[in-house]
Amino acid sequence: MFGRQYVWVTVGILALIFLAAFEALAVTTVMPIISAALDGDSLYALAFSGPLAVGVVGMVAAGNWSDRSGPVPVVLTAVVLFVVGLVIAGTAASMPALIVGRLVHGLGGGALSVSLYVVVARVYPQRMHPAIFGAFAGAWVVPSLIGPFIAGLVAEYTSWRWVFLGVVVLVLAAMGMLRPGLASIAAAERERPVGVREPWRLSRTLWSLGAAAAVLCASMAAQLPGALLWVGTGAAFVLAGVALRPLLPAGTLSGRRGLPVVMTIRGLVSGAFLSTEVYLPALLTGEYRLSPVLAGLALSCAGITWALASWLQGRYATVLSDAGSMLLGSVLLLIAVAASAATSALGLPPAVAIAGWAVAGAGMGTLVPRQSGRVLRLSAPEQQGFNSSALLIADSIGAALALAATAVVFVAFAPLGGTATYTASFTLSALLAVGGLLLVGRVGHDAPPAAAA
């Protein structure tokens, strides 16, 4: 990956992923502080599910645009949106304003994630894909070590605003490193015959807007009174399912064997993981009175084990089949979510949840790189953008809908007080992990990819 032919593309991509990882971990760590400062407890879940929802629009548009014109203009546009969103969030004077910034940031982040997948497909030979996707997760190592810790320090001793604003300059520097690689990709794209370019598919963008709107409505449904809470949530989930059908491979919603079930599992495990990770720092700071720095330790542990497991997937890709990797990862994730639920329900020491979340990172690091590589192997070149965006849509929508569901659970169990709301939320997350585990048998047992050189 770091030979002369690939070095600048590799460094630039990993730098952008590094910063995206830092931002995600930092915001998750300090969001309880931001929510308290801006009186935004009622919008806490929306601050996470909103960016994921609008990110779907960015993913769909980026997939179509990348298949038609190559990934270069998509990367540039996505970075602009990413930076603008950071600035809006960092200067927000209210929780709604911060969410607007998060939405713009999410739109750019969704487009960026898909376009970087297509950059990988255009630049690296297939035999290197397990290694490069392992390196993607490896780029989370340093942010995992320092991101939550630094974010906690910044929030405690300066201002949470610098968690957003401090990243802006670094993103621009990363683009400077990626520029030579993008120039070479653009030159190659100009040589592609016009006849093989994909047409614009605006209908898919409209469906993505519908899916995003449905997820946002589901996220806001927790604020409805009485029976409207359940009616609104159910209606939003149904609309989300309808809008998602054209955006995913046929059979994804039913878990059909082959490529579709890989997407299904991705949505379930992402929902289980993020819906637990978002509320774990709130449990540790609110119920156990840990500082944000110590609460961030759970995220650090998970990020480290995620990166380590991903590196092992790239280095020893022939040891486990795709199905074996997904089975192992799903089991580890379920164990970790169960540890969080047990900590909340039984009043166990917070170290149990923190250690358990390190297991969750190992599970996701075992799952995600193998799923990404499998999707690219099963995709024709002209479908790489669509299927890459579909995988990330399943990831984002699965997580966003899980967060919307946990927001409803919080409202329903709030009268019980104490840790009951966290226990109920983590239980729901565990059920999602069980769903992913039960579907692994439909992945199939194709031969694992060749070992990375």
Side-chain angles (χ1 to χ4, degrees):
M1 292 183 296
F2 294 98
R4 179 178 298 181
Q5 181 180 357
Y6 305 114
V7 60
W8 283 112
V9 176
T10 300
V11 170
I13 288 175
L14 295 183
L16 286 174
I17 293 174
F18 172 95
L19 293 171
F22 178 90
E23 185 66 17
L25 291 164
V27 171
T28 302
T29 302
V30 303
M31 188 56 73
I33 295 174
I34 296 174
S35 179
L38 299 180
D39 192 24
D41 287 347
S42 63
L43 299 176
Y44 186 90
L46 182 61
F48 292 98
S49 61
L52 293 172
V54 298
V56 170
V57 181
M59 292 172 189
V60 171
N64 190 183
W65 193 0
S66 295
D67 284 338
R68 178 178 175 81
S69 304
V72 175
V74 190
V75 171
L76 297 176
T77 303
V79 168
V80 170
L81 291 171
F82 192 87
V83 168
V84 170
L86 290 174
V87 173
I88 294 173
T91 56
S94 65
M95 196 67 171
L98 180 129
I99 288 176
V100 169
R102 293 279 287 160
L103 294 178
V104 176
H105 169 269
L107 182 64
L112 184 62
S113 59
V114 170
S115 59
L116 291 182
Y117 269 56
V118 180
V119 167
V120 169
R122 294 285 196 273
V123 172
Y124 301 92
Q126 191 175 94
R127 62 181 174 80
M128 294 178 65
H129 288 172
I132 189 63
F133 285 124
F136 271 30
W140 285 67
V141 172
V142 175
S144 299
L145 286 169
I146 66 173
F149 178 76
I150 290 178
L153 290 178
V154 169
E156 284 190 59
Y157 297 108
T158 58
S159 171
W160 56 264
R161 298 181 184 279
W162 288 105
V163 171
F164 298 99
L165 299 176
V167 177
V168 172
V169 175
L170 299 177
V171 170
L172 298 178
M175 282 302 296
M177 290 185 286
L178 186 58
R179 184 173 176 273
L182 291 180
S184 65
I185 296 172
E189 288 295 328
R190 287 193 291 270
E191 300 298 323
R192 290 177 64 201
V194 175
V196 302
R197 297 182 186 274
E198 282 288 295
W200 291 112
R201 302 186 185 277
L202 297 180
S203 63
R204 296 190 67 248
T205 302
L206 294 176
W207 280 115
S208 71
L209 287 168
V215 172
L216 290 174
C217 289
S219 301
M220 297 294 292
Q223 301 187 51
L224 295 175
L228 289 178
L229 169 70
W230 304 103
V231 173
T233 301
F237 270 66
V238 170
L239 291 175
V242 171
L244 281 173
R245 287 177 64 90
L247 305 178
L248 302 171
T252 297
L253 298 182
S254 60
R256 183 186 302 170
R257 183 178 297 273
L259 179 64
V261 78
V262 177
M263 309 282 183
T264 310
I265 294 171
R266 182 64 161 261
L268 289 170
V269 298
S270 295
F273 181 85
L274 192 60
S275 61
T276 304
E277 185 174 68
V278 161
Y279 286 105
L280 187 55
L283 171 68
L284 296 176
T285 57
E287 300 297 330
Y288 285 91
R289 305 302 179 189
L290 298 184
S291 70
V293 174
L294 292 177
L297 179 62
L299 309 188
S300 295
C301 291
I304 294 168
T305 54
W306 186 325
L308 177 60
S310 297
W311 176 81
L312 291 172
Q313 284 292 303
R315 185 68 178 84
Y316 302 104
T318 59
V319 174
L320 285 175
S321 66
D322 290 341
S325 296
M326 293 184 206
L327 176 62
L328 176 59
S330 297
V331 169
L332 293 175
L333 177 62
L334 178 58
I335 291 172
V337 177
S340 295
T343 300
S344 175
L346 303 177
L348 301 178
V352 174
I354 293 174
W357 208 237
V359 176
M364 294 299 286
T366 303
L367 276 161
V368 170
R370 211 54 174 271
Q371 290 174 324
S372 302
R374 188 176 182 85
V375 166
L376 284 182
R377 285 197 304 276
L378 296 177
S379 302
E382 65 274 13
Q383 290 297 311
Q384 288 168 345
F386 172 81
N387 287 336
S388 294
S389 68
L391 181 65
L392 296 175
I393 287 169
D395 187 297
S396 294
I397 291 295
L401 289 175
L403 286 168
T406 54
V408 172
V409 167
F410 257 68
V411 171
F413 284 82
L416 298 180
T419 60
T421 52
Y422 294 101
T423 302
S425 175
F426 295 150
T427 300
L428 175 61
S429 300
L431 292 175
L432 295 175
V434 169
L437 178 61
L438 294 176
L439 288 174
V440 169
R442 299 187 182 184
V443 170
H445 297 281
D446 296 353

